[in-house]
Amino acid sequence: MFKPNSVILYVNDVDASTKFYESLFGEAPVETFPGFSVFLLKDNFILGLQTKHDIEPKPQPAFGGFELCLGDITVEEVNAAYRDFKARNIPMALPPTQLEFGYTFVALDPDGHRIRLCATDTSEIEKL
């Protein structure tokens, strides 16, 4: 069956974005190349950062919306991460908020990509 194993974010400055995610994850990329960095995430899922100026074929001017979601955490961990992000002056799109799917906030990386941290409420899912 088809299962994605990576996501690649097109960025303006690979070095700046690599430093941002290295600081966020607390780990260096597993590989770097000119214009490209690779981070190994959970369960061998890969986050790639690639300069959008050299990608072929050229990306369309406006991308569809998506977000990098970091879940499997508690409400306390969401609050701690929010305080940490604020101390680092990471821009916020949504402060900690209780939504129908869980307690969450949304931050922005240097290129405006959305990063959601969420303590997802799975109480109803577990009953299925």
Side-chain angles (χ1 to χ4, degrees):
M1 173 174 245
F2 174 75
K3 291 186 180 182
N5 63 354
S6 65
V7 64
I8 298 173
L9 301 179
Y10 300 149
V11 300
N12 282 311
D13 182 335
V14 170
D15 293 335
S17 291
T18 298
K19 288 177 185 171
F20 173 84
Y21 281 99
E22 185 172 351
S23 171
L24 192 67
F25 298 148
E27 295 182 11
V30 293
E31 292 186 76
T32 58
F33 306 94
F36 195 77
S37 291
V38 179
F39 288 89
L40 182 60
L41 304 179
K42 186 177 179 180
D43 298 327
N44 292 320
F45 195 81
I46 292 171
L47 171 65
L49 305 173
Q50 183 163 10
T51 180
K52 66 182 178 182
H53 308 292
D54 298 329
I55 189 81
E56 290 294 337
K58 296 290 182 210
Q60 58 273 44
F63 298 98
F66 82 97
E67 55 194 27
L68 184 61
C69 188
L70 309 170
D72 296 332
I73 58 176
T74 67
V75 168
E76 293 79 18
E77 290 170 319
V78 169
N79 287 329
Y82 178 76
R83 288 189 300 272
D84 178 58
F85 281 34
K86 288 296 284 183
R88 296 173 191 236
N89 294 315
I90 296 173
M92 293 293 152
L94 177 72
T97 305
Q98 182 66 49
L99 298 176
E100 63 189 37
F101 56 83
Y103 184 68
T104 186
F105 75 85
V106 178
L108 303 174
D109 79 0
D111 290 278
H113 297 112
R114 293 168 53 138
I115 304 167
R116 180 182 297 273
L117 277 79
C118 185
T120 303
D121 178 4
T122 59
S123 59
E124 293 299 314
I125 294 171
E126 292 171 0
K127 292 179 183 176
L128 297 177

